[in-house]
Amino acid sequence: MYSFLSYRRITPDDAQMLLDWRTAPHITQYMLTDVPYDIERQKAWIERCNARDDYQHCIIQIEGRDVGYASITVTDRASGIGEIGVYVGDAAAPKELTIYNFVGTLNHAFVTMGLHKIVNHVVAWNERTVRLQQFNGYRHVGVLKDHALKDGVRHDLHIFELSAAHWADFRKKFPHKDNWWGEETVYREQ
């Protein structure tokens, strides 16, 4: 496991921090939706999310400091398909360390949650994430032209996919084999 990287469970006490991150200009500019700044609504959202069996989320920590958010949504339970959402809310967090958050997240998605494939949708103006998807092992599937509407303007939406089988091989490049909760993940044939 990377000694600098860890994850922790989210509680309603995290509502303000998450809402501050989610509404910060450096985050919201990459989101397709905007959320109102309402702490009680955020607490209720956290409680609903924590009760779901098709959604898991966590706080990303670097050197024990809360720096970001990650989620895995099961979008097709029968086929074992999910989507990952990640953002680094702490703008001062070192990018050279936060870049590795995907390792534990993909281990969690494929081994702990047992998903077959992750399909991510990334808005075209999020150029860094578009580039990072391939660094993370994803295959670029295509582009939905003029698909996403933000602030009255249509934008392209990139589609990326990663299968559990491909990740089982690709992840050998990284020493981190744990899931979000620090449990070592061992791949079995799917």
Side-chain angles (χ1 to χ4, degrees):
M1 179 165 140
Y2 295 116
S3 60
F4 59 85
L5 178 66
S6 59
Y7 308 85
R8 71 170 180 79
R9 297 180 194 279
I10 295 174
T11 71
D13 292 339
D14 295 313
Q16 182 168 357
M17 176 182 67
L18 288 172
L19 194 54
D20 286 346
W21 288 347
R22 180 59 175 82
T23 58
H26 75 281
I27 298 299
T28 194
Q29 69 177 322
Y30 297 114
M31 300 293 187
L32 291 176
T33 60
D34 293 318
V35 297
Y37 197 90
D38 181 333
I39 299 290
E40 293 309 311
R41 180 179 166 163
Q42 185 77 2
K43 285 179 184 177
W45 173 81
I46 290 169
E47 290 171 350
R48 284 192 312 274
C49 289
N50 288 347
R52 291 172 61 177
D53 66 355
D54 64 343
Y55 186 87
Q56 292 189 23
H57 62 169
C58 69
I59 299 289
I60 302 165
Q61 297 182 309
I62 297 294
E63 298 173 338
R65 191 174 93 232
D66 296 341
V67 299
Y69 174 83
S71 66
I72 304 167
T73 306
V74 178
T75 56
D76 181 341
R77 189 182 309 274
S79 298
I81 309 299
E83 184 166 11
I84 289 176
V86 174
Y87 60 81
V88 176
D90 181 348
K95 287 182 178 27
E96 68 275 9
L97 298 182
T98 60
I99 192 173
Y100 292 102
N101 76 74
F102 73 94
V103 179
T105 298
L106 290 170
N107 288 337
H108 197 84
F110 289 129
V111 181
T112 306
M113 293 177 71
L115 294 175
H116 168 70
K117 184 187 285 186
I118 296 294
V119 177
N120 288 338
H121 300 84
V122 182
V123 292
W125 68 85
N126 193 344
E127 294 170 2
R128 181 173 187 264
T129 300
V130 168
R131 287 189 314 274
L132 286 175
Q133 291 289 290
Q134 291 175 314
F135 170 81
N136 297 352
Y138 287 86
R139 180 176 80 86
H140 189 252
V141 175
V143 177
L144 298 171
K145 301 300 275 177
D146 298 328
H147 189 78
L149 182 63
K150 174 93 177 197
D151 299 327
V153 179
R154 295 241 173 239
H155 299 276
D156 296 347
L157 191 65
H158 291 263
I159 304 170
F160 295 89
E161 69 176 2
L162 178 63
S163 70
H166 182 71
W167 177 246
D169 186 54
F170 191 84
R171 82 177 193 148
K172 292 174 185 172
K173 298 197 268 186
F174 307 99
H176 184 81
K177 303 295 184 239
D178 293 355
N179 68 7
W180 283 347
W181 314 135
E183 303 159 339
E184 185 173 353
T185 56
V186 179
Y187 268 84
R188 291 171 185 79
E189 289 296 316
Q190 288 198 21

PDB file of all heavy atoms in Angstrom, residues 10 37 45 101 105 136-137 159 162 165 180:
ATOM      1  N   ILE A  10     -17.379   8.123   5.013  1.00  0.00           N
ATOM      2  CA  ILE A  10     -18.001   9.448   5.129  1.00  0.00           C
ATOM      3  C   ILE A  10     -19.126   9.393   6.157  1.00  0.00           C
ATOM      4  O   ILE A  10     -19.915   8.446   6.179  1.00  0.00           O
ATOM      5  CB  ILE A  10     -18.539   9.894   3.759  1.00  0.00           C
ATOM      6  CG1 ILE A  10     -17.371  10.080   2.794  1.00  0.00           C
ATOM      7  CG2 ILE A  10     -19.376  11.165   3.873  1.00  0.00           C
ATOM      8  CD1 ILE A  10     -17.786  10.380   1.369  1.00  0.00           C
ATOM      9  N   TYR A  37     -25.842  25.404  -1.850  1.00  0.00           N
ATOM     10  CA  TYR A  37     -25.072  25.367  -0.607  1.00  0.00           C
ATOM     11  C   TYR A  37     -26.054  25.268   0.554  1.00  0.00           C
ATOM     12  O   TYR A  37     -26.530  26.273   1.085  1.00  0.00           O
ATOM     13  CB  TYR A  37     -24.172  26.597  -0.462  1.00  0.00           C
ATOM     14  CG  TYR A  37     -23.100  26.368   0.567  1.00  0.00           C
ATOM     15  CD1 TYR A  37     -21.869  25.835   0.200  1.00  0.00           C
ATOM     16  CD2 TYR A  37     -23.338  26.622   1.909  1.00  0.00           C
ATOM     17  CE1 TYR A  37     -20.888  25.581   1.149  1.00  0.00           C
ATOM     18  CE2 TYR A  37     -22.374  26.367   2.869  1.00  0.00           C
ATOM     19  CZ  TYR A  37     -21.153  25.841   2.485  1.00  0.00           C
ATOM     20  OH  TYR A  37     -20.193  25.581   3.430  1.00  0.00           O
ATOM     21  N   TRP A  45     -28.213  13.907   2.134  1.00  0.00           N
ATOM     22  CA  TRP A  45     -27.662  13.205   0.971  1.00  0.00           C
ATOM     23  C   TRP A  45     -26.638  12.163   1.417  1.00  0.00           C
ATOM     24  O   TRP A  45     -26.653  11.023   0.938  1.00  0.00           O
ATOM     25  CB  TRP A  45     -27.039  14.218   0.008  1.00  0.00           C
ATOM     26  CG  TRP A  45     -26.306  13.598  -1.133  1.00  0.00           C
ATOM     27  CD1 TRP A  45     -26.845  13.097  -2.287  1.00  0.00           C
ATOM     28  CD2 TRP A  45     -24.891  13.396  -1.241  1.00  0.00           C
ATOM     29  NE1 TRP A  45     -25.856  12.595  -3.105  1.00  0.00           N
ATOM     30  CE2 TRP A  45     -24.653  12.776  -2.474  1.00  0.00           C
ATOM     31  CE3 TRP A  45     -23.814  13.694  -0.411  1.00  0.00           C
ATOM     32  CZ2 TRP A  45     -23.364  12.430  -2.905  1.00  0.00           C
ATOM     33  CZ3 TRP A  45     -22.536  13.353  -0.833  1.00  0.00           C
ATOM     34  CH2 TRP A  45     -22.327  12.729  -2.064  1.00  0.00           C
ATOM     35  N   ASN A 101      -4.921   7.997  -6.431  1.00  0.00           N
ATOM     36  CA  ASN A 101      -6.154   7.598  -5.748  1.00  0.00           C
ATOM     37  C   ASN A 101      -6.925   6.552  -6.529  1.00  0.00           C
ATOM     38  O   ASN A 101      -7.670   5.763  -5.961  1.00  0.00           O
ATOM     39  CB  ASN A 101      -7.036   8.815  -5.455  1.00  0.00           C
ATOM     40  CG  ASN A 101      -7.753   9.313  -6.693  1.00  0.00           C
ATOM     41  OD1 ASN A 101      -8.701   8.690  -7.146  1.00  0.00           O
ATOM     42  ND2 ASN A 101      -7.310  10.419  -7.244  1.00  0.00           N
ATOM     43  N   THR A 105      -9.251   2.855  -5.543  1.00  0.00           N
ATOM     44  CA  THR A 105     -10.644   2.950  -5.984  1.00  0.00           C
ATOM     45  C   THR A 105     -10.988   1.830  -6.963  1.00  0.00           C
ATOM     46  O   THR A 105     -12.038   1.184  -6.846  1.00  0.00           O
ATOM     47  CB  THR A 105     -10.910   4.336  -6.600  1.00  0.00           C
ATOM     48  OG1 THR A 105     -10.686   5.329  -5.581  1.00  0.00           O
ATOM     49  CG2 THR A 105     -12.324   4.458  -7.119  1.00  0.00           C
ATOM     50  N   ASN A 136      -4.522   5.638 -16.416  1.00  0.00           N
ATOM     51  CA  ASN A 136      -5.101   4.729 -15.432  1.00  0.00           C
ATOM     52  C   ASN A 136      -5.514   3.386 -16.023  1.00  0.00           C
ATOM     53  O   ASN A 136      -6.029   2.535 -15.310  1.00  0.00           O
ATOM     54  CB  ASN A 136      -6.324   5.369 -14.768  1.00  0.00           C
ATOM     55  CG  ASN A 136      -5.984   6.612 -13.987  1.00  0.00           C
ATOM     56  OD1 ASN A 136      -4.817   6.947 -13.799  1.00  0.00           O
ATOM     57  ND2 ASN A 136      -6.989   7.325 -13.534  1.00  0.00           N
ATOM     58  N   GLY A 137      -5.321   3.192 -17.331  1.00  0.00           N
ATOM     59  CA  GLY A 137      -5.623   1.909 -17.950  1.00  0.00           C
ATOM     60  C   GLY A 137      -6.921   1.842 -18.723  1.00  0.00           C
ATOM     61  O   GLY A 137      -7.251   0.806 -19.301  1.00  0.00           O
ATOM     62  N   ILE A 159     -16.199   9.002 -23.448  1.00  0.00           N
ATOM     63  CA  ILE A 159     -16.560   7.757 -22.778  1.00  0.00           C
ATOM     64  C   ILE A 159     -15.310   6.877 -22.691  1.00  0.00           C
ATOM     65  O   ILE A 159     -14.616   6.668 -23.695  1.00  0.00           O
ATOM     66  CB  ILE A 159     -17.669   7.002 -23.531  1.00  0.00           C
ATOM     67  CG1 ILE A 159     -18.893   7.902 -23.717  1.00  0.00           C
ATOM     68  CG2 ILE A 159     -18.046   5.719 -22.783  1.00  0.00           C
ATOM     69  CD1 ILE A 159     -19.930   7.318 -24.647  1.00  0.00           C
ATOM     70  N   LEU A 162     -13.086   0.334 -18.610  1.00  0.00           N
ATOM     71  CA  LEU A 162     -12.019  -0.494 -18.063  1.00  0.00           C
ATOM     72  C   LEU A 162     -12.666  -1.747 -17.501  1.00  0.00           C
ATOM     73  O   LEU A 162     -13.576  -1.657 -16.668  1.00  0.00           O
ATOM     74  CB  LEU A 162     -11.268   0.268 -16.964  1.00  0.00           C
ATOM     75  CG  LEU A 162     -10.135  -0.464 -16.249  1.00  0.00           C
ATOM     76  CD1 LEU A 162      -9.010  -0.831 -17.222  1.00  0.00           C
ATOM     77  CD2 LEU A 162      -9.589   0.390 -15.110  1.00  0.00           C
ATOM     78  N   ALA A 165     -10.848  -7.625 -15.884  1.00  0.00           N
ATOM     79  CA  ALA A 165      -9.745  -8.451 -16.398  1.00  0.00           C
ATOM     80  C   ALA A 165      -8.559  -7.589 -16.819  1.00  0.00           C
ATOM     81  O   ALA A 165      -7.404  -7.920 -16.523  1.00  0.00           O
ATOM     82  CB  ALA A 165     -10.235  -9.306 -17.563  1.00  0.00           C
ATOM     83  N   TRP A 180     -10.336   0.481  -0.482  1.00  0.00           N
ATOM     84  CA  TRP A 180     -10.485   1.704   0.298  1.00  0.00           C
ATOM     85  C   TRP A 180     -10.225   1.505   1.780  1.00  0.00           C
ATOM     86  O   TRP A 180      -9.756   2.400   2.460  1.00  0.00           O
ATOM     87  CB  TRP A 180     -11.882   2.275   0.122  1.00  0.00           C
ATOM     88  CG  TRP A 180     -12.131   2.994  -1.160  1.00  0.00           C
ATOM     89  CD1 TRP A 180     -11.204   3.414  -2.076  1.00  0.00           C
ATOM     90  CD2 TRP A 180     -13.402   3.392  -1.663  1.00  0.00           C
ATOM     91  NE1 TRP A 180     -11.828   4.050  -3.115  1.00  0.00           N
ATOM     92  CE2 TRP A 180     -13.183   4.050  -2.888  1.00  0.00           C
ATOM     93  CE3 TRP A 180     -14.696   3.258  -1.198  1.00  0.00           C
ATOM     94  CZ2 TRP A 180     -14.213   4.579  -3.649  1.00  0.00           C
ATOM     95  CZ3 TRP A 180     -15.732   3.777  -1.956  1.00  0.00           C
ATOM     96  CH2 TRP A 180     -15.488   4.443  -3.169  1.00  0.00           C
TER      97      TRP A 180
END
